[in-house]
Each structure stands twice: as C-alpha cells, then as structure tokens.
Amino acid sequence: MQLVVARIGRAHGIKGEVTVEVRTDEPELRLSPGAVLSTDPAGTGPLTVETGRVHSGRLLLRFEGVRDRTAAEALRNTLLIADVDPDELPEEEDEYYDHQLIDLDVVLADGTEVGRITEISHLPSQDLFIVERPDGTELMIPFVEEIVTEIDLEEQRAVIDPPPGLIDDRAEIASARDAEDADEAPEAASGTDAGTGRADEDAS
C-alpha cells in the first residue's frame, strides 16, 4: 500500500537541500537516509534520501543526484510516497496509519450513528477526522483522547464523546434564532454569546 509521507517545499541553501512538510508520525522511519520514495508526479522520482537534518524546527532532506538549488527547487510541491505493508502497525500504542482509519464508522457511546471518516487532516497542532454525515454534510472531529474514546479496527468503528455543539446542529440553529430576535428587538439588553448561542447570565 502506498502512503503519502511528506510534501517537498522550497529549496534550502545552494547544495540541494529542500524543506519538507511531514505527513507521517514516523519520519525517522519513512524519511531516513537510504529510504527510496515514489513521487507524485511520478516522473520526478523515485527519490532516494541521502541526508536529513532538522533546522529551525523543520526537516531538511537532500536526495541522491540533487546537488544544487536549481535541481532542488524543481522538486517543489512533489509528494513523497512510501510503500507500506497493509498489515504493518505503528510502533507506538494508540497510533494508527491513515488507511486504517479511513471508512471507519463514527458512532456515539450509545451506538448512535454520526457518519463515516473520509479523510484525515494533519494540522500542526492536532489531527482531524473529516467525517461525512448521512445527509452528505461534513464534520471535523479532533483526534484527541478526550473526544475519540475508542478505535475498534475489528468492528471498523470510532467511538466519540463530543462536547456540546461539536456535532449538534441545534446549537447553530439556536444561535441564528437569537441573532434574529436581537435584530427584531434592538432595545433588548445585550450580553449574548453569538458564537454559541449561550446567554450571559451575568449581564445586567
């Protein structure tokens, strides 16, 4: 199975190094010297990692045969793809590869259906599940222990305990209704948190 593990960014210096946007939890395994990676577009690769180092919080790679800034800049925006055994598991407990999570059913603890994971978004601060609901709309569920309480690969489901408002559209409806009421009655006292539709009880 092929997985995208990084995207090449801008050239760094004049000796062929490039910055990379890491898209794997195991860069030391997937992007280590000697790793041979397929590419998208395919004509750019395969690329073999020659050296790697961290500079100012970013991973820098140099590939065999890439010796100057011009050649490095030509690789910009190329996706790096690793061949991964579908049965391989991450080294750390409670970590998963994207392909293990895609298409899992998302349910509440009582079994209520929420939707299906269609994509994993890797942000600097956290990962997000992009979940398609039965009506075709999408939700973003933070992949954190407090919200995603269980991943059951055998049952092909992810159990979540969402905070109020994360998946409940009624919070948005209430907020919109409050806003309409405020427009119709401008003399009413202010103090409504429009973002959540929650009234400020301390407002006088």
Side-chain angles (χ1 to χ4, degrees):
M1 176 174 290
Q2 293 190 317
L3 299 177
V4 174
V5 293
R7 182 181 67 85
I8 297 176
R10 67 181 63 183
H12 179 84
I14 61 173
K15 296 183 179 181
E17 284 187 310
V18 295
T19 62
V20 293
E21 174 192 317
V22 177
R23 297 187 180 181
T24 172
D25 290 330
E26 300 173 311
E28 69 286 349
L29 175 63
R30 306 299 177 196
L31 301 170
S32 60
V36 180
L37 302 165
S38 302
T39 60
D40 182 6
T44 306
L47 294 173
T48 301
V49 179
E50 185 174 275
T51 64
R53 65 188 179 98
V54 176
H55 175 73
S56 298
R58 300 209 66 174
L59 179 61
L60 303 180
L61 296 180
R62 181 162 46 228
F63 301 100
E64 291 183 4
V66 179
R67 290 288 177 252
D68 56 38
R69 186 177 183 88
T70 300
E73 192 62 34
L75 298 175
R76 192 167 185 173
N77 292 325
T78 296
L79 297 178
L80 300 176
I81 303 168
D83 289 313
V84 178
D85 184 336
D87 296 325
E88 181 181 336
L89 297 176
E91 294 180 353
E92 297 295 328
E93 188 177 355
D94 294 332
E95 288 187 358
Y96 303 90
Y97 293 133
D98 287 8
H99 71 270
Q100 296 176 295
L101 301 172
I102 297 295
D103 285 335
L104 291 189
D105 292 324
V106 179
V107 299
L108 302 180
D110 63 4
T112 301
E113 179 184 7
V114 176
R116 177 180 61 88
I117 299 174
T118 58
E119 182 182 346
I120 313 297
S121 179
H122 299 284
L123 302 180
S125 57
Q126 64 185 8
D127 295 333
L128 294 174
F129 290 163
I130 309 301
V131 177
E132 181 178 325
R133 305 192 76 171
D135 63 3
T137 59
E138 287 187 339
L139 289 171
M140 292 186 292
I141 307 293
F143 188 19
V144 294
E145 185 177 358
E146 293 80 4
I147 297 176
V148 182
T149 59
E150 181 185 359
I151 297 291
D152 189 335
L153 296 180
E154 289 188 5
E155 296 295 329
Q156 286 290 285
R157 68 176 190 172
V159 180
I160 65 171
D161 181 17
L166 182 63
I167 66 171
D168 191 349
D169 292 335
R170 288 176 298 177
E172 297 180 5
I173 295 171
S175 178
R177 185 182 301 116
D178 289 344
E180 291 175 1
D181 292 344
D183 289 339
E184 294 174 359
E187 69 278 3
S190 61
T192 298
D193 183 346
T196 62
R198 176 173 54 82
D200 184 351
E201 296 179 354
D202 294 331
S204 57

